Amino acid sequence: MKKKTFYFIRHGQTDLNLRGIVQGRGVDSPLNDTGHKQARAFYQTYKDIPFDKIYTSTLLRTKQTVAQFTLDGVPTEEHYGLDEISWGVYEGKEQDEGVISGFEKIVSSWRAGYLDLGIERGESPNELVERQKLAIEFMLSKEDEEIILVCMHGRALRIMLCHLTGTPVSMMDDFPHTNTALYVLEFQSGQFTIRDHYNVQHLNNLK
């Protein structure tokens, strides 16, 4: 298999991000003005990269983040394996004391290695990894796609970076993220290697 280069980014900001409202796989919110500025800044910085393909989650905020690349003619496809983790009963709720406490407990449990746990009616990290692996297998199967842009979500991206690089998923919070932050990974000889770690330089050029 030829070497592949993956540009993984998180979507731009939404009003729910700004307001601290929980949005996982079950909340399909659009970008806000800042999110569109972040998307434009990313586009202006990386528009000359010859992407063969763009993959997004099924959610609007990822599609809007890469929309200008798509308008430029880069083929774009969605895959449910790139969707954010489901936060179950917390979806769409403000992060009050009860929700924050619940988050702290579940994230602490994940850090301790209890990766089959999830929020009620939500997903566990291990369940998310299984559908992410389907997305990665699909992307790797496309031999003519060598430079790939992938737009996804914060928690999902952290978990993706773990299992692609052989990092225990329990260490997910060691990968920083913010809206439109970039990680570049190379795939060669059956292994992923991080070439660029948490690049946010384009955010210095918001307009």
Side-chain angles (χ1 to χ4, degrees):
M1 182 182 291
K2 297 178 183 177
K3 181 180 78 173
K4 290 180 179 284
T5 303
F6 289 83
Y7 287 68
F8 285 95
I9 66 167
R10 185 187 176 199
H11 63 81
Q13 187 186 83
T14 70
D15 275 339
L16 299 193
N17 287 149
L18 193 61
R19 293 163 54 196
I21 292 176
V22 180
Q23 54 175 2
R25 191 180 185 189
V27 176
D28 198 13
S29 53
L31 299 186
N32 61 15
D33 184 59
T34 296
H36 284 292
K37 288 178 180 178
Q38 292 166 337
R40 285 196 295 272
F42 182 85
Y43 171 76
Q44 289 298 325
T45 303
Y46 296 99
K47 63 183 178 181
D48 295 327
I49 300 293
F51 294 115
D52 296 306
K53 188 72 171 285
I54 299 171
Y55 289 94
T56 71
S57 75
T58 66
L59 301 171
L60 178 62
R61 52 194 182 271
T62 61
K63 299 174 188 178
Q64 289 182 326
T65 301
V66 300
Q68 189 58 57
F69 293 96
T70 304
L71 289 172
D72 284 352
V74 182
T76 304
E77 185 171 352
E78 66 178 47
H79 196 291
Y80 74 97
L82 301 173
D83 286 357
E84 180 60 294
I85 197 168
S86 170
W87 292 113
V89 296
Y90 288 171
E91 296 269 354
K93 290 187 176 180
E94 292 188 14
Q95 294 189 42
D96 60 19
E97 289 185 9
V99 171
I100 291 171
S101 175
F103 268 126
E104 289 175 348
K105 288 178 182 177
I106 198 71
V107 170
S108 178
S109 295
W110 292 346
R111 189 75 173 184
Y114 297 99
L115 299 172
D116 288 317
L117 296 179
I119 301 297
E120 182 183 351
R121 297 205 295 273
E123 284 181 297
S124 71
N126 282 341
E127 288 173 325
L128 176 56
V129 167
E130 289 307 307
R131 61 178 174 87
Q132 287 186 343
K133 285 181 175 179
L134 295 176
I136 290 296
E137 288 172 6
F138 182 80
M139 291 186 280
L140 291 177
S141 73
K142 306 299 180 179
E143 294 188 3
D144 58 336
E145 298 170 10
E146 297 180 26
I147 304 177
I148 302 150
L149 175 60
V150 181
C151 188
M152 46 191 305
H153 305 263
R155 179 62 58 175
L157 178 55
R158 288 172 153 182
I159 290 173
M160 178 78 85
L161 291 169
C162 285
H163 66 84
L164 291 186
T165 61
T167 303
V169 174
S170 60
M171 306 297 287
M172 65 182 87
D173 288 316
D174 287 0
F175 288 101
H177 73 88
T178 193
N179 294 109
T180 70
L182 169 69
Y183 285 84
V184 181
L185 277 68
E186 286 186 351
F187 179 81
Q188 193 168 26
S189 303
Q191 290 188 327
F192 282 91
T193 303
I194 296 179
R195 195 180 80 191
D196 197 356
H197 181 279
Y198 189 62
N199 190 326
V200 293
Q201 291 182 4
H202 59 280
L203 294 177
N204 295 325
N205 302 310
L206 294 187
K207 297 179 181 178

